Amino acid sequence: MNVKSTWLYRMVMMIVIVAVVIGPMNIAGAAGSRTDRVDRPWMNTSLSAEKRTALLLQEMTLEEKIDLVTGKVNNYYGFYNNPIERLGIPALTMADGPAGVRIANPDVQDKQSTALPAPIALAATWDTEAAKQYGDLLGDEAYNTTHNVVLGPGMDIARIPWGSRNFESMGEDPLLQSQMATAYVKGIQSHPVLATAKHYLMNNQETERFTTNVKVSDRALHEIYIRPFQEAIAKADLGGAMCSFNKVNGEPACENKTLLTDLLKKEMQFKGFVMSDYGANLSTAESANSGLDLETPGTPYGKWGDQLLAAVKNGKVSEKTIDDKARRILVQMFSKGLFDHPVQNNQIDVRDHGKKARQLAEESMVLLQNKNNALPLSKDKLKSIAVIGPDADNGTVAGGGSSLVNPTYTVSPLEAIRNRAGKGVTVQYAPGTDPISAGDIMPGPSAVPSSLLTTSDKKENISAGYATYGDVEQGLRGEYWSNNKMEGNPILVRNDGQVNMNLGFYNYQGLNAKSPKIPNTPTTLNGLISARWTGAIAAPKDGDYALSLTSLGSSKLYLDDKLFVDNQGAKLSTTKKNISLKAGEKHKIRIEYRADYQVNGRDSGGMVRLGWEPPADASDKLIDNAVKLAKKSDVAIIVTRTYDSEGYVERSDMELPNNQDRLIRAVAAANPKTIVVQMSGRAVQMDTWQDKVPAIVQAWFAGQEQGNAVARVLFGDVNPSGKLPVTFPVNEQSTPVSSPERFPGVNGIGDYSDGIFVGYRGYEKSGIQPAFAFGHGLSYTTFGYSDLKVKQHASGKKSTRTSTVEVSLKLKNTGKAAGAEVVQVYSGKLPTNVETPSRQLAGWSKIELKPGQEKKVRIELDPKALSYWDEKSKAWVMPSGEVPIYAGSSSQDIRLTGSVTIPAASKGKAAR
Ligand code: BGC
């Protein structure tokens, strides 16, 4: 079994391992007693964390130190290491973040916690105070649900606009991400809880995430990727960092001495400890000697524990090295209060935290487009609203994977719009498409809608003796085997609306961020699997279609008993074939799928989709119903969504999945007042419908209060003030990473030849016009900018002189509504022959203004925006000369231009 088969590993852990691993011990801690000061001098709180650690370390046996640095997991407590009762060392009890506290223990508050907006949504607030509150809430809930370590925040730069895990971090810009993440870490660590910055480093894509070897320059590392970590270390005394699965410049991240020791611990002066991502530690002595401090999760795939003990005994790892790991962990535990404040199980404040989640969600909404002031809606002018969208009635639209939390309650957009519209306004719902599922994370054409499929003999299908799930009117009969050869009786038979299956990691228990309309698939089918779907298909209109199969593993489509599409599926791929079909004419259909492949020696779980490419104006019953509803309503609100999750694939395109694009076009043609509310953790392609709808709201994955936040923005109770923390490109071909070398990489190498030109820096360099620029976001009011002034002060000795540049301007609310504007300042090209970005974020400020109100805004610029990392001297260099300065409402909506002249004396170590 490969150590990296993380989903399988988790499954095994969740299902097979029971609490006997740790028995009845109290992992929450064994801190102090009345005799502490005598027996345990390290419990003397008047001593420094370093002194307390030194006192404790000298009492610890080698075995105890090894125990401390070797993590464990079980399906009761989740992730932890053993407490060392003899010495009163509490366990590290870890809960996944970063969008809420993911509780594993069923005895703790029903495993429920507040589902916050995803970190990408938080980043869209551009509000560091909000980020601090977010972290504060997380720290509070972690502590009061028995956890002293939060596995978050995510600090992965969103290099790929459609990255499946972009929602867990704070966007594409290093300065924005640094400041937001630092405030977030401060918030968490204001409680006796450690934050864990992840993933160190370059976990910027999920495709091949376990194996990709990132080739990156020292300059790009310094100017882009390490900056959030660096800032959180320098300004928030970051407790933990989690090394990632991927390789960086040839070495796995968790045994990469350059990354862990040289860069993180020496250059960035990280005082905390490094833990491995779960299953990312591949070695014993190598990782221990490279700078990994804590292996998670340990057995059965662990390489530390007894093996590390043996490595010390046979001299491959020195005891001093182990001491340093233990010391790093203990210093953090002492300095952040983990010894003195044992974790608690206190009921979290559901109401208050729900309210905070709503406020954060409201602040995160980005008004992308608002032609003719289509928004806000006015209740007085409306009699009827059509709410449309596969998950508009679902309150738990969130990113999947380890970050998914079990919310204390949820509010769907439909419910909230209904409540807000109140009596006198009819609000009706139509899904418009089949529900969105993990299948939609796979690339390739949208799945054939259920309304075109019929089982031929429904009654017989669901015969006694089979487990049956679902009760769909349309769809195909699905039979499932837990071997990949269709041997024996199927273990599950049911009707499936669509053939759009993605199991494995995406289907382990409790981590399915999907519509409740989709039946659960038993986890016994997560490994080896074969499946067959049978029934009939009928086209909605005469015309030329393509039918396709997307699969990992072989899939065959038989039409009228003849093999029509044969997809080999050695890699996740699509095969399609054209066909002329007549409206309503039924064709017999059979799909056979076998998970007869291995990726890097492991089974990845079943992945298959029956897709279609219909003629442009083809419809289906779900769309027709939505169109009918839209026609008779004053306004149509379409709530779209993507399915984003960690795992091991990304879509290769940015289209909305599962026929939602066609839905929008059809509804917009039926009702010109069509508003799109877009729930996703990443950019989506909008070019086939953007011009057809007056208004678009980017609502992200906004947490458990998403419905209320959406409704309050739509009705103008909240004036939107969010700004994009990522560029939204027109499509996947028009981005700085649109080449196979850059994404997903060729022959296992992810070539970061885009260098420092990540995100908007890259679009600017290549002259690619995005759909919506970085920093973009409209308001229900307007803002006037004037009086730009740029002042410069140099301070310090000549050799280490630093330069502070301050920009000031006047901002006026020139409209009729109160609102907030994020004033952004960008620096231009630097006066040097070294290629630098034509625009990079140098600072910003978020200002609230009443109608007619004007304020002076002062923004100090980040010295790094006036400098570049010089690979030869291994230092930041601030070139002297004139630098253009731009102030505006987005990276492209520049309202004022000025410049600053950096004097020659400022050359040198301009930034750290
Ligand atoms: C993820 C981490 C997460 C860990 C534990 C891994 O698959 O990459 O972000 O903290 O699982 O759930």
Side-chain angles (χ1 to χ4, degrees):
M1 185 81 58
N2 190 298
V3 284
K4 296 176 208 154
S5 52
T6 310
W7 68 263
L8 187 57
Y9 158 73
R10 282 168 195 243
M11 250 168 49
V12 171
M13 285 301 158
M14 306 257 173
I15 297 159
V16 180
I17 297 183
V18 286
V20 291
V21 177
I22 57 162
M25 83 190 171
N26 169 18
I27 66 162
S33 73
R34 268 184 300 144
T35 53
D36 280 347
R37 272 166 194 246
V38 182
D39 296 334
R40 297 174 176 169
W42 52 88
M43 290 308 292
N44 180 349
T45 52
S46 67
L47 301 175
S48 70
E50 287 72 19
K51 180 76 193 154
R52 294 174 74 179
T53 298
L55 288 167
L56 176 51
L57 254 187
Q58 70 195 24
E59 289 299 321
M60 290 178 79
T61 64
L62 175 62
E63 284 73 10
E64 283 167 339
K65 290 174 204 161
I66 300 272
D67 205 20
L68 181 78
V69 302
T70 307
K72 310 278 186 305
V73 60
N74 71 23
N75 68 342
Y76 204 71
Y77 293 110
F79 308 117
Y80 62 96
N81 65 0
N82 285 330
I84 300 174
E85 309 255 3
R86 183 180 80 84
L87 303 169
I89 306 179
L92 290 171
T93 47
M94 307 167 187
D96 258 310
V101 178
R102 187 180 157 80
I103 304 170
N105 186 339
D107 289 348
V108 175
Q109 298 172 43
D110 289 334
K111 294 167 74 166
Q112 289 175 357
S113 62
T114 307
L116 292 167
I120 191 81
L122 174 65
T125 68
W126 292 57
D127 180 349
T128 48
E129 203 38 54
K132 184 134 179 270
Q133 282 165 17
Y134 187 109
D136 180 32
L137 191 150
L138 262 180
D140 177 80
E141 291 199 3
Y143 180 70
N144 286 305
T145 60
T146 72
H147 302 100
N148 54 24
V149 180
V150 170
L151 303 178
M155 294 195 186
D156 299 308
I157 294 284
R159 172 176 178 258
I160 314 294
W162 55 93
S164 296
R165 231 180 157 176
N166 286 3
F167 72 93
E168 291 189 56
S169 297
M170 285 172 262
E172 70 187 25
D173 181 76
L175 179 64
L176 178 64
Q177 177 141 187
S178 297
Q179 298 206 4
M180 296 298 286
T182 298
Y184 176 132
V185 169
K186 277 187 189 159
I188 293 181
Q189 295 189 164
S190 64
H191 301 269
V193 175
L194 303 173
T196 315
K198 65 190 192 184
H199 304 85
Y200 188 78
L201 194 64
M202 322 299 286
N203 187 177
N204 311 107
Q205 69 185 52
E206 286 303 279
T207 310
E208 299 176 14
R209 77 160 166 165
F210 299 120
T211 51
T212 191
N213 178 11
V214 172
K215 213 172 111 196
V216 62
S217 70
D218 199 35
R219 181 167 174 212
L221 275 181
H222 281 83
E223 288 192 30
I224 308 288
Y225 297 103
I226 65 170
R227 279 176 59 187
F229 295 89
Q230 191 169 23
E231 183 89 356
I233 292 166
K235 306 244 171 81
D237 189 19
L238 176 69
M242 181 189 283
C243 54
S244 52
F245 292 112
N246 53 283
K247 297 190 184 104
V248 178
N249 293 331
E251 298 278 356
C254 289
E255 57 183 61
N256 192 318
K257 187 169 167 297
T258 314
L259 283 192
L260 301 181
T261 301
D262 303 345
L263 194 53
L264 186 64
K265 293 183 179 174
K266 291 193 178 147
E267 191 180 313
M268 290 195 252
Q269 297 175 26
F270 178 52
K271 300 279 179 272
F273 60 93
V274 182
M275 69 170 82
S276 55
D277 199 341
Y278 290 69
N281 177 31
L282 309 177
S283 60
T284 306
E286 292 85 341
S287 55
N289 289 330
S290 300
L292 179 66
D293 300 308
L294 172 65
E295 180 197 63
T296 56
T299 53
Y301 300 110
K303 298 276 172 191
W304 283 16
D306 290 346
Q307 295 176 65
L308 186 56
L309 186 62
V312 177
K313 294 209 164 137
N314 66 29
K316 290 205 172 118
V317 177
S318 72
E319 192 159 351
K320 213 171 129 219
T321 300
I322 303 295
D323 278 355
D324 184 57
K325 301 180 193 316
R327 185 187 58 74
R328 282 176 173 273
I329 295 171
L330 294 172
V331 165
Q332 289 306 318
M333 291 176 72
F334 279 120
S335 69
K336 307 290 187 309
L338 273 60
F339 274 84
D340 308 321
H341 305 280
V343 293
Q344 308 287 317
N345 184 3
N346 295 323
Q347 179 56 50
I348 59 171
D349 190 337
V350 171
R351 230 185 130 95
D352 179 59
H353 290 191
K355 186 172 160 208
K356 286 181 177 146
R358 193 197 79 216
Q359 286 163 344
L360 288 161
E362 288 167 0
E363 206 188 336
S364 77
M365 304 274 148
V366 181
L367 182 61
L368 291 176
Q369 179 167 298
N370 193 20
K371 289 188 202 149
N372 309 321
N373 296 327
L375 289 177
L377 301 174
S378 161
K379 186 171 146 33
D380 305 337
K381 293 188 194 140
L382 285 177
K383 289 215 163 52
S384 54
I385 301 177
V387 176
I388 295 166
D391 279 313
D393 58 342
N394 176 8
T396 56
V397 178
S402 58
S403 68
L404 192 64
V405 307
N406 191 14
T408 52
Y409 63 87
T410 61
V411 187
S412 74
L414 173 63
E415 198 183 332
I417 290 169
R418 232 175 223 152
N419 286 342
R420 178 60 183 79
K423 284 195 190 119
V425 183
T426 316
V427 179
Q428 281 179 291
Y429 173 64
T433 73
D434 290 285
I436 307 302
S437 71
D440 292 308
I441 212 167
M442 299 186 289
S446 281
V448 172
S450 59
S451 61
L452 309 184
L453 303 170
T454 42
T455 58
S456 42
D457 45 4
K458 200 174 165 200
K459 281 214 177 98
E460 190 204 320
N461 296 341
I462 309 200
S463 59
Y466 288 130
T468 57
Y469 291 81
D471 183 24
V472 284
E473 287 297 315
Q474 278 91 20
L476 299 177
R477 163 190 163 130
E479 297 160 280
Y480 297 79
W481 289 262
S482 56
N483 59 67
N484 64 6
K485 296 189 181 69
M486 297 183 187
E487 268 169 13
N489 285 333
I491 64 157
L492 169 71
V493 177
R494 69 180 179 201
N495 287 349
D496 285 315
Q498 295 183 297
V499 177
N500 195 16
M501 173 180 95
N502 182 6
L503 302 177
F505 174 82
Y506 301 91
N507 188 46
Y508 68 91
Q509 224 159 15
L511 282 189
N512 233 344
K514 65 176 175 66
S515 163
K517 296 168 207 167
I518 297 174
N520 283 326
T521 301
T523 46
T524 37
L525 287 166
N526 280 356
L528 279 184
I529 180 173
S530 46
R532 180 165 59 210
W533 287 271
T534 48
I537 183 169
K541 66 171 296 217
D542 291 2
D544 294 330
Y545 293 75
L547 292 178
S548 64
L549 284 171
T550 298
S551 62
L552 177 57
S554 68
S555 54
K556 293 180 195 308
L557 163 61
Y558 295 87
L559 215 54
D560 297 322
D561 291 321
K562 285 198 202 90
L563 183 61
F564 183 68
V565 177
D566 188 356
N567 191 44
Q568 300 296 312
K571 280 185 126 186
L572 180 60
S573 57
T574 299
T575 305
K576 62 181 177 185
K577 200 164 162 188
N578 296 334
I579 185 167
S580 236
L581 293 171
K582 289 229 169 323
E585 203 172 86
K586 277 196 177 180
H587 293 270
K588 207 172 157 194
I589 194 169
R590 182 168 92 245
I591 295 130
E592 290 183 358
Y593 168 71
R594 294 171 177 84
D596 47 5
Y597 60 87
Q598 287 217 316
V599 179
N600 303 312
R602 66 200 168 93
D603 305 315
S604 289
M607 293 178 145
V608 61
R609 179 195 302 141
L610 168 66
W612 74 325
E613 282 171 358
D617 53 349
S619 192
D620 65 83
K621 228 191 265 163
L622 287 169
I623 291 187
D624 291 345
N625 290 342
V627 165
K628 263 187 231 150
L629 181 61
K631 261 194 189 141
K632 63 174 193 187
S633 307
D634 295 336
V635 143
I637 299 169
I638 309 186
V639 182
T640 60
R641 72 165 289 195
T642 58
Y643 187 100
D644 303 355
S645 170
E646 74 173 289
Y648 33 80
V649 284
E650 243 114 18
R651 290 180 66 94
S652 51
D653 59 72
M654 291 178 30
E655 266 178 31
L656 280 170
N658 216 4
N659 305 294
Q660 293 177 96
D661 277 358
R662 285 191 312 114
L663 170 69
I664 300 175
R665 289 194 297 268
V667 170
N671 188 331
K673 286 199 193 123
T674 294
I675 314 290
V676 175
V677 175
Q678 171 32 54
M679 302 199 288
S680 73
R682 59 174 173 86
V684 299
Q685 181 173 341
M686 304 180 186
D687 57 348
T688 66
W689 50 263
Q690 187 187 326
D691 289 347
K692 300 183 169 53
V693 299
I696 308 171
V697 176
Q698 176 62 30
W700 312 107
F701 295 138
Q704 66 183 52
E705 278 275 350
Q706 57 196 339
N708 284 331
V710 164
R712 283 166 58 80
V713 166
L714 293 179
F715 283 93
D717 306 329
V718 168
N719 187 353
S721 63
K723 299 277 185 177
L724 288 181
V726 279
T727 307
F728 275 32
V730 174
N731 58 33
E732 72 279 1
Q733 278 112 38
S734 321
T735 81
V737 289
S738 302
S739 76
E741 290 76 22
R742 290 186 181 172
F743 176 82
V746 175
N747 296 330
I749 297 185
D751 192 351
Y752 280 40
S753 54
D754 42 328
I756 60 160
F757 295 97
V758 176
Y760 63 94
R761 290 164 166 82
Y763 293 84
E764 294 280 338
K765 174 180 150 86
S766 327
I768 306 171
Q769 184 55 33
F772 295 105
F774 174 81
H776 171 75
L778 305 173
S779 162
Y780 296 150
T781 189
T782 47
F783 296 98
Y785 287 62
S786 63
D787 283 345
L788 178 78
K789 293 199 178 77
V790 188
K791 269 202 273 170
Q792 201 238 342
H793 324 269
S795 54
K797 284 195 218 125
K798 199 170 173 187
S799 59
T800 55
R801 183 156 298 181
T802 53
S803 196
T804 315
V805 178
E806 190 190 270
V807 167
S808 66
L809 55 84
K810 281 189 190 147
L811 183 77
K812 183 168 184 179
N813 183 340
T814 47
K816 294 200 178 83
E821 168 73 324
V822 177
V823 175
Q824 301 158 47
V825 179
Y826 295 85
S827 56
K829 274 201 189 300
L830 305 183
T832 161
N833 292 333
V834 175
E835 194 180 16
T836 59
S838 56
R839 211 154 281 179
Q840 54 181 320
L841 185 67
W844 75 90
S845 181
K846 189 163 186 173
I847 313 290
E848 296 245 4
L849 292 175
K850 298 199 185 80
Q853 194 186 358
E854 185 176 66
K855 266 191 193 163
K856 185 158 180 176
V857 184
R858 285 199 170 85
I859 299 169
E860 188 180 311
L861 304 194
D862 179 23
K864 285 186 176 137
L866 302 166
S867 315
Y868 66 91
W869 177 259
D870 180 38
E871 294 192 340
K872 272 199 200 127
S873 62
K874 293 203 167 299
W876 285 93
V877 172
M878 186 183 285
S880 53
E882 194 177 347
V883 184
I885 298 292
Y886 309 102
S889 185
S890 86
S891 60
Q892 289 199 340
D893 183 4
I894 299 303
R895 307 288 182 84
L896 302 168
T897 303
S899 70
V900 62
T901 302
I902 307 292
S906 290
K907 229 174 173 175
K909 287 182 187 145
R912 224 173 54 86

